[in-house]
Amino acid sequence: MKLSSLILLFVFGIAMIPSQAISQTHQSVKGRVLSKESGKAIAFATVVLNESQKWSTTNLKGEFSIDNVQNGEYTIIVSCLGYKKIQDTISLTELRNPFTLHMSVESQDLSEVTVIAEESRENGTSSVIKKDALNHLQPSSFADILELLPGGVSSNRSLTSMNLISLRAPVETAKISNRENTYNSSLGTAFVVDGTPLSNDAQLQTVSGAVTYTNTSDDYLVYRNTTGKGIDMRMIPTDDIESVEIVRGIPSVAYGSLSSGLVNIQRSYKKKPLELRAKANSGMKLFALGKGFEFGNKTLNVNLDYINYKSDPRNVMTNYSRMTASLRFKDVWNTNSGMLKLKTNINYTGSFDESKRDEENDTKDEFYKNDYNKYRLASNLNYYFDRGIVKNINFSVSGSYTFENKKIRRYRTGRMSPILIEKEEGEYYGEFLPASYLANLKIEGKPVFLFANLNSKLDFDVLGTNHNLIVGADWRYNKNFGRGEVFDVTRPLYAGNGRPRPAKDIPAMEELAIYAEENLLVPIGLNRLKIRVGVRAASLLNVSDKYCISNKFYLDPRFNLSWQFPSFMIFDKLSKLSVRTGFGWHTKFPTLSHLYPNKVYYDAVQLNFYSQNDQLRQMHYKTKIIDPTNFALKPNRNQKMEVGLEFKSGKIKFDITAYKEEMSEGLRRMSNYDLFSFKKYIIESGPDPSTLNAPPTIDMFDYKQYKRFVSYGQSKNGSREEKKGIEYQLDLGRIEAIKSRVSINGAWMYMKYGSDAPRYKTSSVVIGGDDYPYMGYYEWDTSREYEQFNTNFRFDTQIDELGLIFSSTFQVLWYTSWKYSPHNGMPSYYIDMNDNKFEYTEADTQDPILKHLYEKPSDNAFDTERVPITIDYNLKVTKLINQNMRLAFYVNRILYYYPDYNRKDGFRVKRSASPYFGMELNINI
């Protein structure tokens, strides 16, 4: 029986358990929520009866009603943006009149400010970071927020290269310079803003040609290219964020197109004073302003920000600039049967990435420039019913259009290379590239992303058990209408790169998903069992029947279960203990760049008759075309499992989670091979150059027939990732004696990633003047194992009398380690030029020709490389000058401990670190 079927049977069985702990008498809980200061009604406050999971929202008159509630004791929780949360205990033993709740406006009292991430279980294992924590953190990029997560570390991030997210991964694995990084983690992390997702799946603005990590002159292209890699966090401003939830565990099935995690961003939709923010640190300047207006039931929020960054303040040749703007509108209407809420936002993001050469050298005309302009419109319409099984109907729609224009100018040398422009297989006469020239390349991208979602929440009781059900469907559309690479094909940036393909010729990609999820709360004696179980079915539309993913639905069953024990007392403190577990599948479909790769052109020069007289030069070549499209490509699927414990006693909170993730079919670019047969004309057999008065033709020469192995990259499901670890957080709350909130968090992480899929590889050795005659077929595991253990000790000292918050963090990285999976270095077999296969044996490692296929491991190749402890002391200070002005300052690595250590190969590693700092001013008018 399938696991999803077992889960549904389990939930059905639980649902049939009768509730013995609570009387079966039902009634309605009604009331009003008013402002304590003004006495006015508070609209759109959320009222929750915690133990029953029943909830309601207040209408424009502040009224709410929760129907069909069993008699008993409940914790009532009332929350609303801009007001202090109310939490109280009520007893329902008989019919009672509507009651009134009063909420106080949020205070500026520093003792109530929370400047750490708080663990949440509302949407799987996640961390919630609110506005106060963001203000105190002083982020320049959204990536800075990640240091607040368990296991997170602070770092000085460069904004001249892409910032990609990597959840539950050791620091070393996430570095862009790590050539083994397949970017499945960043691609598989969904970013949702105000209920609608962002997408990068139609990004195709990549540079064709010989761009590798080993070519340092091309690093600027590699480190800024997000094609097939996910969302660049540099593009997300932080000043308009009210809260952000980062889900590392198993999210609701309402969220899809993800395999690693979820970032759920909620922005401000409320009245706010004019907020001005100015920040400066080494090489970076940031300016932001925001204002929230209120017109009766309507609100309008405006935000603008600008960043200018130079990787080295002494070098103005490399810089990055970003500008964002957001206009957000909300309106609420009362009706006879409920309340209608509308949220609409219009957004602009522009970035300007630029590199120039020093004007004092010979390459002053070279440059790289990337202009990025994105326009996004999103709306959310939510209708809340006062009564009935259907609690609400929600419809969301969004669309984005991006215009990206990369311009690259580089000096190139022709080196007697041919101009290659033919797009059909065959033999052709050609021309030579100039000895040197200035190449101009323009890459035009116009990605369009459309999204629509419709869902509804239902609430009902069956046999004394309350059910909360959500059902819905969503649709996604990705298409690039750009021209792609545009350049003079006779002056390419890379020799041989003369066959550009317009991005607009690539078909659109559409994804359809339906989902249903049940939330149950089952009282068993004095215990509470909470279950959230659901399934999501997703299919990729508009793909040819040749693809194996065509006309298929992929099921993602997910569940989270928690058991809350009865409350008890410890040292006169009310204490609570709960345990939880979860399991789920998560699916991310391939992007346009994976599904529709450009054709691969191989050209063999058959005649290279180069004369000093340019009128007599002749070039002849043969073109072979390979289509690397992989019709067997499947989506990336990740399986997650976790168990955890949560303990609260008074203000002390402790949370620990153990997790395991397995992804066996991640997306990866892997090598494949083909054989290329061509001729080589013998110059010596041709005519005497002095007798020529025109370029010679190939019939004047003798030739020899040759074969060559050609390898090419192909997107495959060849990446395997395994993650496991333990995350923990201890919050001791505010200790009045030292006026500080003490918290400890960290994680032990293990990650193994690489590939155990077979691959082809030949040698670059030349034998007798000819190409190497064999291709090796390797099946050994290329995985690398990483391990990391860190702890952050944080002291948030709040001195109300002085209006100060000091955050002192000791960031301890106890160790990091890595090692390669062992192998013998030998191919399983090898292939000759006639496509015959031969077993590769131990004796072949000594053969004078076959030995070149043997990748002999060094003596210490599989030793564990371990880096010992490092300690950073980071300081953040916020000074509340008055109710309208705040000054903040931070210094990271103000003190540090980086001891030298010896590597396994005998080398001694000397380490050092440099502090970096910044400050900002916030003004509210």
Side-chain angles (χ1 to χ4, degrees):
M1 185 179 291
K2 292 184 177 180
L3 179 62
S4 56
S5 301
L6 289 172
I7 292 172
L8 294 175
L9 285 175
F10 171 74
V11 173
F12 179 78
I14 289 293
M16 295 300 103
I17 298 175
S19 174
Q20 304 297 333
I22 301 177
S23 168
Q24 299 304 302
T25 303
H26 298 71
Q27 62 173 293
S28 295
V29 178
K30 299 181 179 181
R32 293 188 74 198
V33 179
L34 305 176
S35 169
K36 188 175 182 180
E37 288 78 10
S38 66
K40 293 182 178 180
I42 298 177
F44 214 71
T46 302
V47 183
V48 179
L49 293 181
N50 196 40
E51 287 77 8
S52 70
Q53 287 196 332
K54 287 180 174 290
W55 60 276
S56 180
T57 54
T58 58
N59 58 24
L60 293 179
K61 297 179 181 179
E63 299 169 339
F64 69 90
S65 177
I66 303 177
D67 300 326
N68 203 26
V69 180
Q70 299 169 351
N71 284 352
E73 288 194 352
Y74 295 91
T75 301
I76 187 168
I77 301 173
V78 186
S79 59
C80 184
L81 283 175
Y83 293 87
K84 294 181 182 179
K85 181 187 293 186
I86 297 176
Q87 182 169 322
D88 201 357
T89 301
I90 62 173
S91 178
L92 301 181
T93 56
E94 59 184 18
L95 293 177
R96 57 179 298 167
N97 295 324
F99 53 90
T100 301
L101 298 169
H102 292 89
M103 302 188 74
S104 299
V105 176
E106 282 183 335
S107 171
Q108 295 297 321
D109 183 359
L110 288 179
S111 64
E112 299 179 3
V113 173
T114 300
V115 294
I116 64 173
E118 297 182 297
E119 290 302 285
S120 172
R121 299 293 169 261
E122 295 300 318
N123 194 17
T125 300
S126 62
S127 297
V128 177
I129 300 114
K130 297 182 179 179
K131 188 67 174 180
D132 289 332
L134 293 173
N135 288 338
H136 188 59
L137 180 64
Q138 308 166 50
S140 302
S141 163
F142 188 89
D144 295 334
I145 298 175
L146 303 181
E147 71 176 74
L148 297 178
L149 304 181
V153 296
S154 63
S155 62
N156 186 15
R157 301 178 188 273
S158 171
L159 296 182
T160 54
S161 60
M162 56 187 173
N163 286 184
L164 302 175
I165 194 169
S166 187
L167 298 174
R168 287 179 167 172
V171 174
E172 289 295 324
T173 67
K175 291 181 177 178
I176 297 177
S177 57
N178 185 352
R179 295 180 62 189
E180 298 170 357
N181 192 344
T182 54
Y183 302 103
N184 282 295
S185 183
S186 55
L187 179 63
T189 300
F191 282 77
V192 177
V193 179
D194 295 339
T196 57
L198 307 180
S199 177
N200 195 39
D201 290 356
Q203 165 73 277
L204 296 169
Q205 288 78 266
T206 187
V207 180
S208 303
V211 181
T212 68
Y213 284 93
T214 57
N215 186 350
T216 56
S217 66
D218 289 335
D219 282 350
Y220 71 102
L221 297 177
V222 176
Y223 296 156
R224 300 173 183 179
N225 178 23
T226 60
T227 301
K229 298 172 185 175
I231 300 298
D232 187 348
M233 292 184 288
R234 296 182 301 169
M235 304 297 182
I236 303 176
T238 61
D239 290 281
D240 56 1
I241 295 177
E242 194 68 24
S243 70
V244 56
E245 179 187 26
I246 301 177
V247 182
R248 307 180 303 280
I250 301 154
S252 165
V253 295
Y255 298 99
S257 192
L258 57 85
S259 58
S260 297
L262 166 70
V263 177
N264 196 357
I265 298 171
Q266 297 293 332
R267 297 182 296 180
S268 300
Y269 286 83
K270 63 181 182 180
K271 181 180 179 180
K272 299 181 73 174
L274 178 63
E275 298 175 334
L276 305 176
R277 181 189 180 204
K279 177 179 179 179
N281 62 22
S282 179
M284 193 274 294
K285 294 179 178 62
L286 181 151
F287 304 95
L289 62 88
K291 171 72 175 175
F293 303 90
E294 186 176 67
F295 312 96
N297 298 324
K298 303 176 179 63
T299 61
L300 180 67
N301 289 78
V302 181
N303 282 88
L304 301 169
D305 92 326
Y306 174 76
I307 282 181
N308 183 267
Y309 175 84
K310 295 180 176 62
S311 58
D312 184 347
R314 300 165 298 180
N315 177 15
V316 297
M317 297 296 109
T318 302
N319 60 67
Y320 170 81
S321 299
R322 185 202 72 202
M323 179 183 295
T324 67
S326 174
L327 187 68
R328 305 183 300 282
F329 173 78
K330 182 184 78 173
D331 199 358
V332 181
W333 298 270
N334 260 347
T335 68
N336 292 331
S337 58
M339 182 171 62
L340 181 64
K341 178 184 176 184
L342 170 68
K343 283 185 176 181
T344 298
N345 58 80
I346 303 172
N347 311 274
Y348 166 76
T349 301
S351 70
F352 317 98
D353 220 345
E354 191 170 9
S355 295
K356 296 181 180 179
R357 300 292 177 176
D358 191 338
E359 294 187 2
E360 295 182 0
N361 65 32
D362 294 335
T363 59
K364 63 182 180 181
D365 293 326
E366 293 188 348
F367 66 82
Y368 166 88
K369 187 176 183 180
N370 183 27
D371 291 338
Y372 175 99
N373 296 277
K374 182 175 183 178
Y375 307 89
R376 183 171 180 267
L377 172 65
S379 287
N380 175 271
L381 193 63
N382 208 332
Y383 191 86
Y384 298 85
F385 295 91
D386 286 339
R387 295 180 180 276
I389 292 177
V390 179
K391 300 298 291 183
N392 80 318
I393 296 177
N394 178 72
F395 177 67
S396 299
V397 62
S398 69
S400 66
Y401 168 77
T402 304
F403 179 75
E404 184 172 7
N405 190 12
K406 290 183 180 179
K407 294 181 180 179
I408 304 170
R409 178 183 292 172
R410 296 284 296 272
Y411 276 104
R412 290 303 190 207
T413 51
R415 298 190 183 94
M416 296 173 25
S417 299
I419 297 173
L420 306 170
I421 59 175
E422 302 298 335
K423 292 186 176 182
E424 301 290 338
E425 286 191 342
E427 298 183 352
Y428 304 95
Y429 287 103
E431 298 181 2
F432 289 92
L433 286 169
S436 64
Y437 60 92
L438 192 62
N440 289 277
L441 171 64
K442 176 181 177 180
I443 310 174
E444 180 190 271
K446 297 179 180 179
V448 170
F449 172 60
L450 303 177
F451 171 80
N453 176 67
L454 178 66
N455 64 43
S456 179
K457 292 182 180 179
L458 298 88
D459 184 282
F460 54 92
D461 286 350
V462 176
L463 298 179
T465 300
N466 178 247
H467 298 258
N468 288 286
L469 183 67
I470 179 172
V471 293
D474 63 48
W475 170 81
R476 300 161 196 261
Y477 172 93
N478 281 280
K479 167 72 176 173
N480 196 313
F481 292 91
R483 291 184 295 166
E485 294 178 289
V486 180
F487 60 94
D488 181 353
V489 295
T490 67
R491 301 295 184 266
L493 186 63
Y494 297 101
N497 183 25
R499 289 91 164 192
R501 175 188 60 165
K504 61 185 178 182
D505 291 350
I506 296 174
M509 184 174 74
E510 297 180 60
E511 180 182 340
L512 177 67
I514 55 175
Y515 54 87
E517 184 174 85
E518 169 77 288
N519 287 272
L520 298 172
L521 188 143
V522 184
I524 303 177
L526 296 178
N527 301 277
R528 301 283 177 175
L529 176 63
K530 290 184 179 181
I531 304 170
R532 188 184 71 204
V533 60
V535 63
R536 182 181 180 91
S539 179
L540 201 61
L541 310 178
N542 197 39
V543 290
S544 167
D545 291 339
K546 295 180 181 179
Y547 288 89
C548 74
I549 58 177
S550 176
N551 301 314
K552 286 185 180 179
F553 273 93
Y554 291 85
L555 298 182
D556 286 357
R558 304 175 196 168
F559 84 86
N560 285 278
L561 180 151
S562 69
W563 183 284
Q564 183 176 320
F565 294 95
S567 302
F568 54 95
M569 303 298 291
I570 297 180
F571 299 114
D572 297 326
K573 302 292 185 183
L574 181 65
S575 303
K576 296 181 180 181
L577 176 66
S578 63
V579 294
R580 63 183 183 276
T581 186
F583 172 88
W585 281 97
H586 310 77
T587 300
K588 173 63 181 177
F589 284 106
T591 69
L592 288 178
S593 63
H594 296 108
L595 292 170
Y596 304 103
N598 199 359
K599 292 180 180 179
V600 179
Y601 296 84
Y602 283 98
D603 304 281
V605 175
Q606 300 187 125
L607 174 65
N608 187 341
F609 190 88
Y610 192 87
S611 171
Q612 295 301 319
N613 182 352
D614 57 4
Q615 299 300 315
L616 301 180
R617 295 172 186 172
Q618 184 63 283
M619 171 70 68
H620 189 266
Y621 64 93
K622 182 178 180 180
T623 296
K624 179 180 179 64
I625 302 175
I626 298 175
D627 184 358
T629 302
N630 183 5
F631 294 107
L633 197 63
K634 294 181 287 187
N636 174 15
R637 305 199 72 205
N638 191 20
Q639 181 191 88
K640 292 187 179 186
M641 296 173 283
E642 59 183 32
V643 295
L645 177 147
E646 185 175 5
F647 172 73
K648 297 180 181 179
S649 183
K651 60 187 178 182
I652 297 175
K653 301 176 184 179
F654 175 70
D655 189 281
I656 187 168
T657 302
Y659 64 86
K660 183 177 182 181
E661 301 183 16
E662 290 187 358
M663 182 189 68
S664 59
E665 295 181 329
L667 301 170
R668 186 185 188 94
R669 188 173 176 84
M670 301 191 68
S671 63
N672 213 333
Y673 86 97
D674 205 339
L675 284 166
F676 187 10
S677 177
F678 60 96
K679 304 168 185 174
K680 279 191 176 180
Y681 291 93
I682 305 169
I683 298 296
E684 293 77 12
S685 67
D688 184 345
S690 62
T691 64
L692 294 173
N693 54 20
T697 56
I698 56 175
D699 59 305
M700 299 179 180
F701 301 87
D702 297 331
Y703 67 86
K704 290 184 179 180
Q705 195 72 39
Y706 285 84
K707 285 185 178 181
R708 174 186 297 167
F709 286 111
V710 290
S711 60
Y712 59 93
Q714 187 177 45
S715 293
K716 296 183 179 181
N717 297 102
S719 187
R720 181 180 178 86
E721 292 185 10
E722 178 186 352
K723 297 179 182 179
K724 55 186 177 182
I726 298 174
E727 301 169 328
Y728 55 93
Q729 179 155 312
L730 173 63
D731 183 3
L732 299 178
R734 180 178 168 89
I735 302 174
E736 291 299 333
I738 58 175
K739 297 184 180 296
S740 298
R741 181 173 185 169
V742 181
S743 59
I744 301 170
N745 74 47
W748 170 78
M749 301 178 187
Y750 168 88
M751 183 175 181
K752 178 179 180 181
Y753 79 101
S755 176
D756 54 9
R759 62 205 172 279
Y760 296 95
K761 188 177 180 181
T762 189
S763 173
S764 59
V765 172
V766 176
I767 305 294
D770 295 328
D771 293 334
Y772 190 76
Y774 301 112
M775 175 72 71
Y777 181 81
Y778 299 83
E779 294 183 289
W780 35 264
D781 191 347
T782 62
S783 298
R784 195 173 183 181
E785 299 176 47
Y786 293 85
E787 209 173 307
Q788 175 182 301
F789 179 37
N790 78 303
T791 305
N792 298 321
F793 301 89
R794 184 174 178 123
F795 302 85
D796 296 311
T797 305
Q798 303 178 0
I799 306 175
D800 300 347
E801 297 83 357
L802 300 178
L804 283 174
I805 302 178
F806 294 88
S807 289
S808 299
T809 304
F810 291 90
Q811 184 175 285
V812 183
L813 191 57
W814 300 104
Y815 71 88
T816 57
S817 66
W818 60 86
K819 67 176 181 179
Y820 285 100
S821 298
H823 60 81
N824 61 14
M826 296 192 303
S828 300
Y829 60 84
Y830 60 96
I831 306 164
D832 67 11
M833 291 288 188
N834 295 315
D835 212 20
N836 298 311
K837 298 179 181 179
F838 305 91
E839 182 183 359
Y840 194 91
T841 65
E842 186 78 28
D844 293 329
T845 63
Q846 305 300 318
D847 183 272
I849 296 179
L850 292 175
K851 68 179 182 180
H852 298 294
L853 293 176
Y854 176 41
E855 299 183 2
K856 182 180 179 180
S858 63
D859 293 337
N860 58 354
F862 309 119
D863 291 345
T864 298
E865 194 67 50
R866 189 182 181 96
V867 178
I869 187 172
T870 64
I871 302 176
D872 292 325
Y873 171 62
N874 303 329
L875 176 66
K876 289 181 171 63
V877 181
T878 298
K879 167 64 176 174
L880 189 65
I881 298 174
N882 54 46
Q883 291 295 316
N884 300 318
M885 187 176 296
R886 185 176 65 249
L887 183 65
F889 174 77
Y890 74 91
V891 183
N892 286 350
R893 299 197 187 109
I894 189 172
L895 297 174
Y896 58 86
Y897 174 64
Y898 281 50
D900 300 339
Y901 68 97
N902 294 321
R903 292 194 330 199
K904 291 289 185 180
D905 56 11
F907 286 94
R908 185 163 182 80
V909 178
K910 293 185 176 295
R911 298 188 293 173
S912 63
S914 300
Y916 60 97
F917 57 89
M919 67 182 301
E920 67 174 58
L921 176 66
N922 292 265
I923 301 174
N924 297 337
I925 302 175

